[in-house]
Amino acid sequence: MKKQIIIILIFIITIIGSGILYLFQEREYFCLTSNNCITVWKTSEGAYIIPGKYTSWFKPKDNYIKTSNVNAVTIVIDKQSKYDYIISNDYNKSIEVNMSKYKIKYYPYNERNSFEREFYEKNKLKEGLKCLPIDIGEL
């Protein structure tokens, strides 16, 4: 009888723990092209932006960008550049870029004008570029 109660308690705790974990984490997948997607994973510690469709329960150890849950970033893919991703920090929140597998060009908030001059014409993205603006606070 004691064994059954312990098993039931473990089962209830597991279900409640899974529910709490689900409430504190959200994932959104955005695709720039048919084979180039980005995962935005909001956690209680901040948001992770990860190339590909990241489905692990564990935080990535490499190849991610971490920022606050109220920041916004713009990600551009320019096949003519030497970079895999061009990233702009749109709201001036702290960003940790840890992308050893990819070539990244990062524009901090104070270089936003340079980013716009480089990739926009008449307030529109230059032709041939793929762009993904992500307002994490709105997800």
Side-chain angles (χ1 to χ4, degrees):
M1 184 69 167
K2 257 186 175 178
K3 200 173 195 179
Q4 287 178 333
I5 291 173
I6 291 173
I7 290 173
I8 290 171
L9 284 174
I10 290 173
F11 180 72
I12 290 171
I13 290 170
T14 302
I15 293 207
I16 290 171
S18 296
I20 290 171
L21 185 64
Y22 178 76
L23 289 175
F24 289 106
Q25 299 186 81
E26 296 177 44
R27 288 182 206 223
E28 298 277 339
Y29 302 103
F30 301 94
C31 293
L32 291 158
T33 63
S34 60
N35 62 349
N36 194 342
C37 295
I38 301 284
T39 301
V40 178
W41 183 15
K42 288 175 70 172
T43 71
S44 58
E45 297 174 5
Y48 290 87
I49 301 169
I50 309 159
K53 289 190 175 180
Y54 190 78
T55 58
S56 174
W57 282 62
F58 304 103
K59 293 177 183 129
K61 295 192 185 321
D62 194 13
N63 298 310
Y64 66 87
I65 299 165
K66 184 178 179 189
T67 188
S68 76
N69 284 326
V70 293
N71 200 7
V73 298
T74 301
I75 300 172
V76 172
I77 294 179
D78 179 4
K79 298 211 184 254
Q80 304 303 317
S81 78
K82 59 184 176 183
Y83 301 104
D84 296 311
Y85 299 102
I86 299 145
I87 300 161
S88 170
N89 184 352
D90 299 344
Y91 286 175
N92 198 25
K93 304 293 183 188
S94 67
I95 286 186
E96 173 189 343
V97 178
N98 187 349
M99 301 282 267
S100 65
K101 185 177 173 185
Y102 300 93
K103 292 180 185 171
I104 301 296
K105 172 67 175 162
Y106 172 63
Y107 287 88
Y109 181 76
N110 63 352
E111 294 179 20
R112 178 79 181 152
N113 290 338
S114 298
F115 172 78
E116 289 176 355
R117 277 193 304 275
E118 180 77 23
F119 300 102
Y120 287 81
E121 256 176 15
K122 299 178 184 175
N123 293 328
K124 290 185 177 180
L125 191 66
K126 289 182 179 178
E127 193 171 323
L129 300 179
K130 301 286 185 190
C131 177
L132 179 60
I134 303 170
D135 188 342
I136 298 164
E138 296 291 319
L139 298 179

